[in-house]
């Protein structure tokens, strides 16, 4: 049986890792959908899809499961989102999510959805991790060791701090000059 688990993984953290550990007990293979694959270099999405593929792939290597990390770009039409995901992914038998919209969309498309408990959600949460990175806080214990290595390799802390700055006019690097 092949399962599917999607997340933005900005970054992949110990909450995701525990979820994968639980899923690995139920399926033979796991597709990890790297959501919002086209987004990077912003405070909410600082890491590229390729960087997140590395984080996920290196982290889940410790589990005895065949896994596939698949970048999934956003599609702003919820009614066809599941078919978009299915077109980008190996076929799967069951989807795992705790996101109410994702659960609804998969169920409407006839895909079995399973939920699992959230792990230490008040701390193991992307926003909290990115805030700690931004403020030079203690983020390393909240992610698997391979994620620490990758963030350090790509100077991820400097990136998140830099992309969180704004210029004196309140614009960002991608806005048109006045």
């Amino acid at each position: 049986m092949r399962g599917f688990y999607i997340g933005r993984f900005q970054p992949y953290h110990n909450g995701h890792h525990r979820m994968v550990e639980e899923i690995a007990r139920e399926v033979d293979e796991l597709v990890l959908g790297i959501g919002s694959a086209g987004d990077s270099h912003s405070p909410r999405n600082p890491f590229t899809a390729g960087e997140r593929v590395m984080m996920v792939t290196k982290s889940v290597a410790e589990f005895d499961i065949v896994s596939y990390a698949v970048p999934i770009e956003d599609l702003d039409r919820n009614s066809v989102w599941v078919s978009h995901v299915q077109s980008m992914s190996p076929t799967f038998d069951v989807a795992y999510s705790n996101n109410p919209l994702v659960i609804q969309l998969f169920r409407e498309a006839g895909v079995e959805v399973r939920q699992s408990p959230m792990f230490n959600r008040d701390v193991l949460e992307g926003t909290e991790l990115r805030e700690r990175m931004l403020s030079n806080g203690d983020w390393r214990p909240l992610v698997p060791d391979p994620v620490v290595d990758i963030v350090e390799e790509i100077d991820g802390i400097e990136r998140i701090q830099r992309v969180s700055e704004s210029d004196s006019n309140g614009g960002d690097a991608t806005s048109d000059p006045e």
Side-chain angles (χ1 to χ4, degrees):
M1 182 164 67
R2 188 176 300 128
F4 178 83
Y5 175 44
I6 192 164
R8 284 190 9 262
F9 307 124
Q10 289 280 12
Y12 182 84
H13 56 65
N14 290 338
H16 299 129
H17 205 55
R18 286 285 307 278
M19 181 92 160
V20 169
E21 184 177 29
E22 294 292 318
I23 294 169
R25 294 182 179 132
E26 298 182 9
V27 300
D28 304 303
E29 297 183 355
L30 178 60
V31 180
L32 293 140
I34 310 294
S36 300
D39 295 342
S40 70
H41 293 79
S42 71
R44 180 169 153 74
N45 295 295
F47 305 109
T48 68
E51 291 161 352
R52 292 178 282 151
V53 165
M54 287 191 330
M55 290 175 191
V56 167
T57 302
K58 289 184 175 189
S59 295
V60 303
E62 74 177 72
F63 302 125
D64 186 25
I65 189 166
V66 174
S67 62
Y68 311 93
V70 179
I72 309 279
E73 290 191 359
D74 286 339
L75 185 68
D76 292 327
R77 291 178 48 213
N78 290 340
S79 63
V80 295
W81 181 78
V82 172
S83 62
H84 169 67
V85 166
Q86 290 170 324
S87 77
M88 302 299 294
S89 170
T91 58
F92 52 89
D93 305 295
V94 59
Y96 291 82
S97 182
N98 288 314
N99 179 298
L101 176 59
V102 170
I103 292 167
Q104 183 67 30
L105 294 175
F106 274 123
R107 285 187 176 151
E108 285 180 8
V111 177
E112 178 187 351
V113 181
R114 297 181 187 167
Q115 294 180 256
S116 82
M118 300 249 201
F119 305 100
N120 200 9
R121 181 69 174 159
D122 54 329
V123 176
L124 294 177
E125 192 264 324
T127 302
E128 173 68 21
L129 269 162
R130 293 188 302 275
E131 281 297 320
R132 289 182 182 205
M133 290 173 162
L134 185 60
S135 65
N136 289 313
D138 193 19
W139 60 273
R140 287 171 182 83
L142 305 180
V143 300
D145 290 340
V147 174
V148 172
D149 296 341
I150 292 162
V151 170
E152 290 175 351
E153 173 189 334
I154 65 170
D155 293 323
I157 301 305
E158 179 185 350
R159 179 189 302 165
I160 198 167
Q161 291 171 345
R162 178 115 356 158
V163 301
S164 295
E165 296 172 355
S166 65
D167 68 20
S168 59
N169 294 326
D172 63 32
T174 59
S175 20
D176 292 330
E178 295 181 347

